[in-house]
Amino acid sequence: MRFIVEILLTGLAVFIGARYLVPGVTVDGFGTAVIAALLIALANATIGFILRVLTFPVNFLTLGLISFIISVLMILLVSNVMSGFHASGFWAAAFLAIVVAIIKAIFGSIGGTERN
């Protein structure tokens, strides 16, 4: 249940970011944003994980900057694979990643993060 709520909140964050805050990123609707959030999460969990393991030494030296770049690349990958969600370039995807992280932090502070 928690996973579904997390994906829906991430979809809402993608929808708000793409529709209202980030120029250069478009999304057709909330359903498309939820699917994009799910695909971004899957890309980060698979391809992103492999890339983070391979780039660990450089990631350690850059204090996590490589992880951020990998997340942006996963957004661009989903943008290229999926219709209805489009990021115009690296900087638009980077700005979307930052905005989504901030919105999710706000959701977390409002809703709390109770773990059982």
Side-chain angles (χ1 to χ4, degrees):
M1 181 68 174
R2 182 168 174 81
F3 175 73
I4 294 170
V5 171
E6 187 72 27
I7 290 296
L8 289 174
L9 288 176
T10 304
L12 181 60
V14 168
F15 180 75
I16 291 170
R19 193 54 80 90
Y20 302 110
L21 300 174
V22 181
V25 179
T26 59
V27 66
D28 286 346
F30 178 69
T32 305
V34 170
I35 294 169
L38 181 62
L39 291 177
I40 291 168
L42 289 172
N44 268 322
T46 56
I47 301 166
F49 176 75
I50 293 167
L51 290 174
R52 282 180 184 88
V53 168
L54 293 174
T55 60
F56 176 73
V58 177
N59 198 10
F60 181 75
L61 292 174
T62 61
L63 303 174
L65 180 64
I66 299 299
S67 284
F68 175 71
I69 291 171
I70 290 170
S71 295
V72 171
L73 292 175
M74 296 304 107
I75 291 172
L76 288 171
L77 175 68
V78 170
S79 171
N80 286 328
V81 170
M82 183 179 169
S83 63
F85 174 71
H86 178 72
S88 63
F90 180 84
W91 294 112
F95 191 38
L96 180 68
I98 292 168
V99 166
V100 167
I102 291 170
I103 292 172
K104 284 185 64 179
I106 292 170
F107 288 160
S109 67
I110 292 172
T113 54
E114 182 178 323
R115 301 226 176 198
N116 292 335

